[in-house]
Amino acid sequence: MHEMSIAQELIRQIEEHVSAERRPSVRNIALRIGTLSSILPESLTFCFDALVNQTPLQSAKLSIELVPYTLHCTACNHSFEPEGWAHVCPKCGSSQLISQTGQELELAYIELEESPSEVV
Ligand SMILES: [Zn+2]
């Protein structure tokens, strides 16, 4: 299962950022996931909860922010969310487009009890 290996990697990253004695106070893990990344937030949450159960991270919850797919036009510098797969700039009609967001899979921040701190 795709999401299972992502959840494992996520836990590895959390363990890298949070020392063993502070892990029980991790409350919230914020993630940014692009809508093109083909990750299902519900199943990632399910896998994460299953993996942290009975570990020092068991009270940690995932908060997932979905990032929409956007394109950037290199001809006129316009950024937009494409509709369907007809990819031309709605402003100038150019097809010189690069994808800007939508592929993200990143750890935004880890929130600990007492002292919320941004560690990444
Ligand atoms: Zn344009």
Side-chain angles (χ1 to χ4, degrees):
M1 195 191 219
H2 185 51
E3 280 79 4
M4 190 54 95
S5 53
I6 293 168
Q8 274 163 348
E9 169 60 21
L10 181 62
I11 290 166
R12 198 194 58 74
Q13 285 187 33
I14 297 163
E15 288 173 348
E16 210 175 88
H17 288 295
V18 183
S19 61
E21 64 273 17
R22 296 177 75 199
R23 283 174 206 157
S25 60
V26 174
R27 287 294 168 268
N28 201 15
I29 315 288
L31 277 184
R32 269 194 285 268
I33 295 179
T35 53
L36 281 193
S37 64
S38 78
I39 296 161
L40 296 173
E42 311 78 56
S43 76
L44 182 58
T45 304
F46 178 83
C47 292
F48 180 84
D49 288 346
L51 287 172
V52 298
N53 189 26
Q54 310 296 329
T55 77
L57 286 171
Q58 67 178 340
S59 53
K61 290 277 164 269
L62 284 188
S63 313
I64 296 174
E65 180 198 343
L66 283 175
V67 181
Y69 178 39
T70 60
L71 290 172
H72 179 78
C73 173
T74 56
C76 74
N77 279 325
H78 181 54
S79 295
F80 60 98
E81 282 183 44
E83 285 177 31
W85 295 101
H87 289 171
V88 291
C89 174
K91 214 170 168 184
C92 73
S94 167
S95 56
Q96 292 170 41
L97 306 173
I98 51 170
S99 60
Q100 195 168 44
T101 62
Q103 309 272 12
E104 289 77 2
L105 173 56
E106 53 191 37
L107 192 54
Y109 61 87
I110 301 170
E111 193 180 291
L112 303 181
E113 196 171 33
E114 290 141 12
S115 57
S117 58
E118 299 220 351
V119 296
V120 282

